[in-house]
Amino acid sequence: MNPALILLPDFLLILSGFALRRSGMLSPAFWAEAEKFVYFILFPALLFRALARAELDFAASLPMLASGLLFTGAGFLLGCAARPLFRLPQASFAAGNQGAYRFNTYVAFAVMGSLAGTPGIAVIALLCGAMVPVVNLMAVWQLSQTSQQGMLYELARNPIIWGISSGLAANVSGLPVPQPLFAAIDHLAAAALPLGLITVGAGLRFSSLASHYAPLLYWNGIKLLLLPLIAVATVQLFGLSGVYRQATLVMSMLPTATSAYILAVRMRGDGELAAAVVTTSTLAAMLSLPLMLSLLY
């Protein structure tokens, strides 16, 4: 099936979230709590379900993890050129540069679920688990408004790491998860992706677009067009195939994480610019992701 048709339901959920938020049917307080509920409750359940009973080959995953590290690092370094190119102050540069390397995990799991089912979600969960600490370290270091202790705090409270760690622990230990408990987790996991995508749409913001169009184009060009090409090179370099190749390419094509805005605001960066990066990246990915999948998948 055409990738555009495979991804259409996911993008329709994002657009529906945007429309619902702008309709005023639900209060702003609802959206804030809904995003927190998805991020801290539903999403860890999805990750646990995907990994706890998956048949994982950690040795086969190592080339995929190396590939992810290479193209993520390339995005970070290329994005750094935006500061001298566009003469950005540090607060704006650090907040916006997240758009060159951070990735939206909600979209990642939705896409891999559509392409490869539960095994695909399990594999990209491993890749996310390896890359989440890396991108958070990069972002916190550049925002530079906190100490090393604060950086560790940001990582320790990340629910993606909780979900992946607990799922892997259950898988590796071989301890059985009681069926009633697993069934309850399964119900929570089933709600994670649709609600997560709706909250992504609800979080779209359009402030700062006109005043920062040049760096926005630059960062989005790196994230959505250049990184997939770099990923193709790394996939060939490491000889990746099957679901590992799929997960690597999908990861390289993802829009910027909505948490980039949250982190920028928390650390006194330019929240408006971070929101503009997330918004433009998400909207542009609705076109670029199906296109790049059609060309490179």
Side-chain angles (χ1 to χ4, degrees), residues 9-207:
D10 300 328
F11 290 140
L12 287 176
L13 284 175
I14 293 173
L15 293 175
S16 70
F18 175 76
L20 282 170
R21 177 69 180 264
R22 297 310 180 271
S23 73
M25 182 185 302
L26 301 167
S27 70
F30 167 82
W31 291 111
E33 293 303 313
E35 183 174 331
K36 187 184 298 183
F37 180 63
V38 171
Y39 192 56
F40 285 97
I41 305 298
L42 299 184
F43 212 56
L46 172 69
L47 296 169
F48 181 89
R49 183 188 69 176
L51 291 169
R53 295 181 176 178
E55 295 183 5
L56 301 173
D57 187 338
F58 293 102
S61 301
L62 291 177
M64 176 185 68
L65 301 182
S67 180
L69 185 61
L70 282 176
F71 69 71
T72 300
F76 174 79
L77 293 175
L78 290 168
C80 288
R83 187 177 186 187
L85 278 174
F86 305 108
R87 300 180 181 179
L88 296 169
Q90 177 62 23
S92 296
F93 160 69
N97 194 46
Q98 296 179 88
Y101 59 89
R102 296 196 70 165
F103 51 88
N104 192 309
T105 47
Y106 297 150
V107 179
F109 289 106
V111 173
M112 280 303 292
S114 298
L115 294 175
T118 300
I121 292 177
V123 169
I124 204 166
L126 285 177
L127 186 52
C128 284
M131 292 298 105
V132 163
V134 173
V135 298
N136 275 277
L137 286 169
M138 290 173 174
V140 171
W141 175 66
Q142 286 201 320
L143 284 161
S144 66
Q145 297 293 324
T146 188
S147 63
Q148 182 69 20
Q149 183 179 1
M151 184 183 298
L152 294 175
Y153 174 75
E154 290 292 337
L155 295 176
R157 70 190 297 270
N158 191 301
I160 297 173
I161 294 178
W162 301 346
I164 291 171
S165 300
S166 59
L168 287 176
N171 189 302
V172 172
S173 67
L175 295 175
V177 181
Q179 185 56 37
L181 175 59
F182 196 85
I185 293 172
D186 185 61
H187 289 321
L188 289 173
L193 289 180
L195 287 180
L197 292 172
I198 288 171
T199 59
V200 167
L204 298 180
R205 297 170 175 86
F206 293 92
S207 59

Side-chain angles (χ1 to χ4, degrees), residues 205-219:
R205 297 170 175 86
F206 293 92
S207 59
S208 295
L209 295 190
S211 57
H212 291 96
Y213 69 91
L216 289 173
L217 285 172
Y218 180 76
W219 284 316

